[in-house]
Amino acid sequence: MKILKLGMAAIAAAIFLPSTGSASDPHYVNGVEGIKAGTLPPPGIYGRLYGVYYKSDTMRDSGGDKMDVDFDLSVWALVPRVIWVSKYEILGGNFFADAILPVLKTDVSIGAMAVDDSKTGIGDICVEPLGISWHGDLFDAAVAAGGYIPTGLYDKDNMASPGKDMWTAMLTAGGTVYADAEKTWSASVLARYEVHSEKNDAEYTPGNDFHFEWGLGKTIFKTVDVGMAGYCSWQVTDDSGNEGDTGKSRVFAAGPEVSVFIPSQVLFVSARVLGEFEARNKSEGVIGVLTLTKGF
């Protein structure tokens, strides 16, 4: 039963915009923002498309040891996002709002349990109706409040379900600081805190999650950023309900990133590959992200 809970949690958490595998079922996917994650664009309407691939063949227990359950997980996600940054000011910053609609394909197998599931579908919608972003001479900053709506298909007996059968409230705060007036050296952090509702079908409430993404970058040729990005994720409260406490989870990740801005098209393209390590009570794998952002 413990293996079953961990397997289900890893699948649920690997789905976009969920963290890549966690006993606490976070909705948000770490690693999708990268260098300058704490920076919002100037006023305007932007379309962003995330292409995400997560792969894991390792499940870690509470001590960090690999579980011998013949585990294999692959998640593909294509996620459109609309961002509106207005000219209206609140507390000296620009009001913004955004919405996300993930489309997911999940394949999972656990040989020790004779599980082999696959599912494609629309996941849970994320809406952030309230955000504020600031831009200074040597910094950018942003805060936001929003959440996930359980719109995706969910079946507690299907580990590859694209939905999670729960509401999630999410608070966000982040920033980017620059080491020089030309803003060619940057360091950023983007933190998120999630509070989950009960999963009605499973009569189970996942614990709250805290994560932050970080990035260190250098601008070259004026329009190209290179550097390192990563994330840290922790479950900070216990699970509760019918399934009991499956144990708190954590994971860290790091890897390289390249980002290119094409001014004539108002187009941003970024790519990164992050390897996870020091996982506890979750899957441990690799995530690759390609992001396209177009200004209108």
Side-chain angles (χ1 to χ4, degrees), residues 81 96-100 126-131 144-147 170-172 192:
R81 179 182 183 184
F96 74 88
D98 65 277
I100 297 169
C126 177
V127 178
E128 282 187 317
L130 178 60
M170 184 172 69
L171 298 176
T172 299
R192 301 185 189 268

Side-chain angles (χ1 to χ4, degrees), residues 220-285:
I220 58 177
F221 309 122
K222 296 184 179 181
T223 58
V224 178
D225 286 331
V226 296
M228 293 289 294
Y231 56 81
C232 303
S233 179
W234 298 269
Q235 179 185 347
V236 294
T237 65
D238 294 331
D239 306 319
S240 63
N242 191 42
E243 294 191 17
D245 184 9
T246 60
K248 293 179 181 178
S249 63
R250 78 172 195 200
V251 68
F252 310 125
E257 177 179 345
V258 177
S259 180
V260 179
F261 175 50
I262 305 173
S264 61
Q265 303 296 319
V266 195
L267 179 66
F268 299 82
V269 182
S270 67
R272 73 194 63 86
V273 177
L274 309 178
E276 294 183 323
F277 56 94
E278 291 296 320
R280 299 291 186 271
N281 276 334
K282 69 171 299 300
S283 63
E284 183 177 273

Side-chain angles (χ1 to χ4, degrees), residues 45-290:
I45 297 175
Y46 300 86
R48 177 171 291 178
L49 184 65
Y50 301 90
V52 181
Y53 176 65
Y54 178 76
K55 176 67 175 179
S56 174
D57 61 5
T58 301
M59 177 68 74
R60 300 288 182 185
D61 63 19
S62 59
D65 296 321
K66 183 177 179 178
M67 299 178 67
D68 186 16
V69 293
D70 190 18
F71 175 77
D72 188 74
L73 169 66
S74 297
V75 181
W76 294 262
L78 192 63
V79 186
R81 179 182 183 184
V82 177
I83 307 167
W84 173 50
V85 182
S86 77
K87 295 181 180 179
Y88 302 108
E89 292 192 358
I90 301 175
L91 300 176
N94 295 104
F95 168 79
F96 74 88
D98 65 277
I100 297 169
L101 178 64
V103 180
L104 316 164
K105 182 180 187 300
T106 302
D107 294 325
V108 57
S109 65
I110 305 175
M113 297 171 52
V115 170
D116 189 3
D117 290 337
S118 180
K119 194 73 174 180
T120 301
I122 295 175
D124 295 339
I125 294 173
C126 177
V127 178
E128 282 187 317
L130 178 60
I132 309 172
S133 65
W134 296 268
H135 302 281
D137 292 336
L138 292 175
F139 76 92
D140 300 313
V143 296
Y148 291 83
I149 304 169
T151 54
L153 180 66
Y154 175 79
D155 182 346
K156 67 179 180 180
D157 297 320
N158 189 332
M159 293 185 181
S161 294
K164 289 179 174 292
D165 190 39
M166 67 180 183
W167 297 77
T168 294
M170 184 172 69
L171 298 176
T172 299
T176 302
V177 295
Y178 302 95
D180 57 324
E182 292 76 23
K183 298 185 176 181
T184 64
W185 289 95
S186 65
S188 68
V189 171
L190 181 66
R192 301 185 189 268
Y193 190 85
E194 293 182 87
V195 179
H196 312 294
S197 74
E198 181 185 43
K199 290 174 173 285
N200 292 326
D201 286 352
E203 297 181 343
Y204 161 71
T205 303
N208 299 342
D209 295 285
F210 172 73
H211 355 247
F212 70 85
E213 299 179 72
W214 56 266
L216 299 171
K218 168 64 176 175
T219 301
I220 58 177
F221 309 122
K222 296 184 179 181
T223 58
V224 178
D225 286 331
V226 296
M228 293 289 294
Y231 56 81
C232 303
S233 179
W234 298 269
Q235 179 185 347
V236 294
T237 65
D238 294 331
D239 306 319
S240 63
N242 191 42
E243 294 191 17
D245 184 9
T246 60
K248 293 179 181 178
S249 63
R250 78 172 195 200
V251 68
F252 310 125
E257 177 179 345
V258 177
S259 180
V260 179
F261 175 50
I262 305 173
S264 61
Q265 303 296 319
V266 195
L267 179 66
F268 299 82
V269 182
S270 67
R272 73 194 63 86
V273 177
L274 309 178
E276 294 183 323
F277 56 94
E278 291 296 320
R280 299 291 186 271
N281 276 334
K282 69 171 299 300
S283 63
E284 183 177 273
V286 176
I287 183 170
V289 183
L290 176 65

